Amino acid sequence: MEGEFEKPLVIGKAQKPRCFKNVDPTKFPIIWRANNKAWMTGSIMEDWLHTFNNKLKKQNRRVILFLDNATCHPHLNLSNVHLAWLPANTTSLTQPMDQGIIYSIKVNYRKMVLQSLLASMDSIKSVNELSNKINVLDAIYWLNKSVNLIKPDTVKKCFIKAGFNLVLDQPTDAINDNDNDFKLLCSTINEKVDSDEYVNIDKHLCTNDTDIIADTTVKPCTSIDVEQSSSEDETDNVPLHGNDIKTYKNALHEIKRLEMFALDQNNENELLESILNLKNLVEKKMASQITKQKTLDEFWSKI
């Protein structure tokens, strides 16, 4: 189908981080893989290609998959996937993902990150504690939600921008619907924050290397790889009763308790996903209530 996405492939350092306890990774809305450096490797890519090819074979479909010349992209002959190679050093112009799709996904994702951090600011005491508020499980569901927010029409526009001959009623440049909201959120944190720089902060992050093409060794889960449990202040630990949920902060605390309950159950992925979606909505509401710049300036000055 035009504009559809496959499950995102996410690569971490630990095969099963602490936040995956009692959760079946095979039922995630993403595909989870791990190696020592959290890099894409030739073996991981080859495995994904064979899985994708088998899926298309069952659906009686054939596709052309355009790839760049990254060393982790293997040259394979597949029955239902024809690999086509973009000219070297032209991906910024000819790769549809680089024409707005990746940017749009990053905007959606970083928007959720900021909303979550803003919602947690008044209950933490240090930067380290703030960073520990986010774990891999949060990131996985934010990424999946960010991808699902991309409209098929946006994907088609990006293909046209890259030079593909597709038919659209009104071909225009790809525009992210949440871009203005994201810029407003960035300015709420600090007027000097450049939203484009924040979106592309990891643009030059190394994600693959020739030296580890054959290295798919899964690193055991260690105290360094797993996320530390987020600490909560005494107020957040006070149990609520009856109609004591008066604020979004109270609601968020109860949702986090539900999240822990879901994580303690065996393979309750559907329940967990619903709770995380609700958590994201409440964090969005809390972030939208923060309108005074001086409040955040005072916060950062303290830590």
Side-chain angles (χ1 to χ4, degrees):
M1 300 297 178
E2 290 185 345
E4 70 179 84
F5 285 89
E6 290 298 305
K7 271 188 178 183
L9 172 62
V10 181
I11 305 173
K13 290 186 177 182
Q15 184 179 23
K16 194 166 185 179
R18 182 182 300 170
C19 60
F20 285 12
K21 179 183 178 183
N22 294 333
V23 181
D24 184 0
T26 63
K27 295 182 180 179
F28 282 168
I30 56 90
I31 300 170
W32 178 259
R33 296 291 182 267
N35 60 47
N36 289 336
K37 294 187 177 181
W39 282 359
M40 171 60 80
T41 67
S43 296
I44 291 178
M45 186 65 188
E46 184 171 341
D47 178 68
W48 183 89
L49 285 170
H50 282 296
T51 301
F52 182 47
N53 185 70
N54 291 335
K55 173 185 174 181
L56 295 177
K57 189 183 297 184
K58 293 178 181 178
Q59 297 175 347
N60 195 27
R61 295 173 57 195
R62 294 177 183 273
V63 302
I64 300 175
L65 182 62
F66 292 90
L67 298 173
D68 58 29
N69 61 346
T71 54
C72 59
H73 291 162
H75 291 254
L76 301 174
N77 291 319
L78 301 168
S79 60
N80 291 63
V81 180
H82 176 74
L83 302 182
W85 302 92
L86 297 172
N89 304 318
T90 66
T91 53
S92 62
L93 298 174
T94 59
Q95 171 63 271
M97 294 291 289
D98 285 340
Q99 307 310 313
I101 297 174
I102 292 176
Y103 182 88
S104 297
I105 291 173
K106 284 185 175 182
V107 166
N108 293 335
Y109 177 84
R110 300 202 194 288
K111 183 178 179 182
M112 294 179 204
V113 171
L114 291 179
Q115 288 169 346
S116 179
L117 294 179
L118 287 172
S120 302
M121 276 186 170
D122 64 348
S123 63
I124 61 97
K125 300 176 181 178
S126 69
V127 173
N128 287 337
E129 191 177 338
L130 183 65
S131 64
N132 286 334
K133 287 288 183 180
I134 297 176
N135 59 39
V136 174
L137 197 59
D138 290 324
I140 284 174
Y141 281 95
W142 288 339
L143 174 61
N144 181 63
K145 192 175 183 68
S146 299
V147 171
N148 290 336
L149 286 172
I150 305 300
K151 299 177 181 178
D153 193 50
T154 298
V155 177
K156 289 186 281 186
K157 289 175 182 177
C158 289
F159 268 82
I160 290 176
K161 191 175 179 181
F164 288 77
N165 187 20
L166 300 179
V167 178
L168 275 183
D169 293 335
Q170 295 179 335
T172 58
D173 290 344
I175 299 175
N176 186 279
D177 295 333
N178 290 321
D179 196 47
N180 290 332
D181 291 340
F182 177 68
K183 289 180 179 179
L184 179 61
L185 194 58
C186 288
S187 65
T188 299
I189 293 179
N190 192 306
E191 292 179 352
K192 296 181 180 180
V193 172
D194 185 290
S195 59
D196 286 332
E197 287 185 5
Y198 176 50
V199 170
N200 294 308
I201 194 171
D202 57 358
K203 184 176 181 179
H204 300 294
L205 181 69
C206 190
T207 58
N208 66 86
D209 187 86
T210 305
D211 295 335
I212 66 161
I213 289 179
D215 176 18
T216 56
T217 304
V218 173
K219 187 176 181 180
C221 186
T222 67
S223 59
I224 296 177
D225 295 327
V226 299
E227 306 77 23
Q228 301 299 317
S229 299
S230 301
S231 58
E232 298 177 341
D233 59 26
E234 294 180 359
T235 303
D236 283 346
N237 285 325
V238 176
L240 300 176
H241 303 284
N243 195 29
D244 288 340
I245 303 179
K246 304 290 186 180
T247 66
Y248 281 119
K249 180 180 178 181
N250 296 151
L252 183 60
H253 172 68
E254 295 303 296
I255 291 171
K256 288 180 178 179
R257 292 179 63 191
L258 285 173
E259 181 182 351
M260 295 306 298
F261 167 77
L263 286 170
D264 284 337
Q265 309 308 304
N266 287 322
N267 302 328
E268 284 287 355
N269 296 63
E270 184 177 356
L271 173 62
L272 179 60
E273 184 172 2
S274 298
I275 293 171
L276 289 173
N277 284 333
L278 180 59
K279 177 182 173 184
N280 175 247
L281 177 60
V282 172
E283 288 175 339
K284 179 180 179 180
K285 293 288 186 180
M286 293 177 69
S288 67
Q289 292 179 344
I290 300 178
T291 57
K292 294 183 179 180
Q293 177 69 30
K294 65 176 183 179
T295 302
L296 293 178
D297 286 341
E298 291 173 357
F299 171 81
W300 290 115
S301 66
K302 292 179 181 178
I303 58 176

